[in-house]
Amino acid sequence: MRDNFTLAHTFTARWEGGLSDHEADPGGITNHGISLRWVTDLARQARERCLRDARQCDTCPRRTGPDCDYFSLDLDNDGDIDADDIRACTKEQAARLFRRHFWEALGCDRLPLPLPSRSMTARSTWAPAGP
């Protein structure tokens, strides 16, 4: 079975490059297309969901696993989410974040065929804009 995310991500990742910390970039420090602004927004949203669901990080069984929406963003595993996480972000981590927070969240696998041109265009458009 063809993995449409990999096809779309491979196409668009060519333009994402590596580490960039340009003062004019509103997303702040960025690595492989993952910006500090986006990751901190995701972390804030994850914390809000936990509070709404009355979950506390200290007692949450999901905290140490990949299913934790907050700690899965701690890419350097030091207990916080900051610019060091963006610097530490690998291509593989970036791909996992894009898959989870864009591709799956937006249901991109349900896009009609021909998928390559539509999904690649969609991914190029929504990745910089955010969900």
Side-chain angles (χ1 to χ4, degrees):
M1 184 165 108
R2 185 172 76 173
D3 180 3
N4 292 323
F5 169 79
T6 300
L7 180 67
H9 181 69
T10 300
F11 177 82
T12 57
R14 292 184 281 180
W15 292 277
E16 296 298 346
L19 187 65
S20 171
D21 194 6
H22 194 278
E23 62 188 39
D25 184 346
I29 188 169
T30 303
N31 199 2
H32 307 297
I34 304 298
S35 73
L36 180 58
R37 185 179 82 181
W38 181 56
V39 170
T40 55
D41 283 349
L42 288 174
R44 179 187 48 76
Q45 293 167 16
R47 289 283 192 183
E48 289 171 358
R49 279 191 304 277
C50 287
L51 290 173
R52 198 171 42 247
D53 296 342
R55 289 194 313 253
Q56 299 295 319
C57 287
D58 295 341
T59 59
C60 183
R62 295 173 46 190
R63 177 181 178 177
T64 57
D67 292 334
C68 177
D69 287 336
Y70 182 82
F71 282 99
S72 65
L73 300 168
D74 180 13
L75 303 177
D76 64 357
N77 298 308
D78 68 349
D80 63 8
I81 296 169
D82 57 14
D84 291 334
D85 294 292
I86 304 305
R87 287 184 194 93
C89 183
T90 66
K91 288 181 180 182
E92 292 77 19
Q93 288 172 315
R96 279 195 300 273
L97 289 171
F98 282 128
R99 179 186 291 273
R100 180 176 184 173
H101 296 285
F102 284 112
W103 190 265
E104 292 173 356
L106 297 174
C108 290
D109 265 339
R110 294 189 308 264
L111 289 172
L113 295 174
L115 187 62
S117 63
R118 287 187 180 154
S119 64
M120 289 177 207
T121 301
R123 197 269 194 203
S124 296
T125 302
W126 47 250

